[in-house]
Amino acid sequence: MKAIKCFIAGAFAFAAVACGGPKETHVVFETTMGNLDFLLYEETPLHKANFIEHVGNHDYDGMTFNRVIKDFMIQGGISDTEYETNPLYTSQPRENYSVPGEFRLEDGIYHRKGVLGAGRADNDVNPTMSSYQMQIYVTWGRVFDDAGLDRTQERIDRETGGKIKLTDEMREVYKTIGGTPHLDGQYTVFGEVAEGMDVFERIINTPTDSLDAPLTPVVITRAYVK
């Protein structure tokens, strides 16, 4: 996967470098705190197509990053509760507005710092780990040591029945760049921040209330395919 195999990592930022091949697909979120440019992965075509469709329909325009958790992630798009009240979703069966999980750890796609993922319902009501159509998150996470990764692996084993293992390559990335490894193999990653890590850093550090909602709303004023 070109975007992950060909990047330059820094303490708080990284940038994908050109490696040739097909034209890359980017989606830009213009927000009230600056722009986020997401590179979408070819290896997760269902999530890529779904995201582009909603962006093209202007469904993200006016949405907010409704949850911001320092050293973890920012979450935006439609919230869990809106699935029960928004006519766009209540007018059709639940299975028609979920996207099958696309887990591509073998392609180097996992929850390192700065990746774009899809939210989903909990395992007890969603055993197939399918994703919501519009709820997305961007990971910040933290840098781990070996002991922390060992504990995280134990957590992953409990959640996945021992099916998901952190490779040596993944462990090295989590020890240097950081991320949220406890989500691996359970939530679909389908892109990454190509430009705007400084904006992401400002958002992740914005003051929040007791429910993790920003005190000053972070609004997605416009989303478009670049």
Side-chain angles (χ1 to χ4, degrees):
M1 193 264 300
K2 296 180 178 62
I4 290 183
K5 291 178 180 176
C6 306
F7 69 87
I8 301 170
F12 292 100
F14 60 84
V17 299
C19 299
K23 184 179 183 299
E24 296 175 340
T25 303
H26 290 250
V27 164
V28 176
F29 276 8
E30 295 181 353
T31 84
T32 49
M33 295 189 74
N35 291 359
L36 296 169
D37 181 327
F38 298 110
L39 168 66
L40 305 186
Y41 297 152
E42 299 296 326
E43 292 85 350
T44 49
L46 300 178
H47 283 74
K48 175 184 175 183
N50 172 75
F51 190 52
I52 289 173
E53 178 181 357
H54 284 287
V55 168
N57 290 338
H58 304 286
D59 292 332
Y60 285 103
D61 297 1
M63 291 286 185
T64 65
F65 284 105
N66 59 296
R67 289 181 71 207
V68 173
I69 304 178
K70 186 176 174 62
D71 297 328
F72 181 30
M73 60 93 209
I74 63 175
Q75 175 183 287
I78 196 164
S79 67
D80 295 358
T81 55
E82 286 181 279
Y83 279 94
E84 309 304 326
T85 59
N86 190 315
L88 177 64
Y89 302 100
T90 55
S91 62
Q92 54 183 307
R94 189 178 186 89
E95 60 269 20
N96 289 350
Y97 58 84
S98 59
V99 185
E102 296 178 286
F103 308 113
R104 298 290 184 265
L105 273 68
E106 70 278 7
D107 293 318
I109 299 176
Y110 48 88
H111 285 85
R112 59 185 174 82
K113 180 180 180 180
V115 297
L116 173 67
R120 65 171 178 82
D122 293 336
N123 291 0
D124 55 345
V125 296
N126 181 25
T128 62
M129 299 185 186
S130 59
S131 304
Y132 289 140
Q133 273 200 18
M134 283 184 59
Q135 189 185 99
I136 53 92
Y137 60 88
V138 190
T139 60
W140 187 271
R142 63 182 180 88
V143 173
F144 288 77
D145 58 17
D146 282 316
L149 288 173
D150 289 343
R151 291 191 294 271
T152 299
Q153 182 64 69
E154 292 174 357
R155 178 177 177 179
I156 295 172
D157 287 343
R158 291 193 298 271
E159 295 291 335
T160 68
K163 295 178 182 178
I164 302 300
K165 300 296 182 182
L166 301 177
T167 65
D168 290 343
E169 175 189 319
M170 294 166 69
R171 290 176 69 99
E172 185 62 27
V173 168
Y174 287 132
K175 288 192 294 183
T176 54
I177 299 171
T180 57
H182 68 282
L183 302 179
D184 285 337
Q186 302 166 77
Y187 290 77
T188 295
V189 172
F190 65 98
E192 66 180 60
V193 178
E195 294 182 36
M197 283 297 285
D198 57 330
V199 175
F200 182 18
E201 185 173 7
R202 288 199 295 273
I203 297 173
I204 200 76
N205 284 297
T206 195
T208 59
D209 63 19
S210 60
L211 298 177
D212 302 318
L215 296 179
T216 301
V218 182
V219 181
I220 303 165
T221 57
R222 179 187 175 215
Y224 62 91
V225 177
K226 185 175 175 180

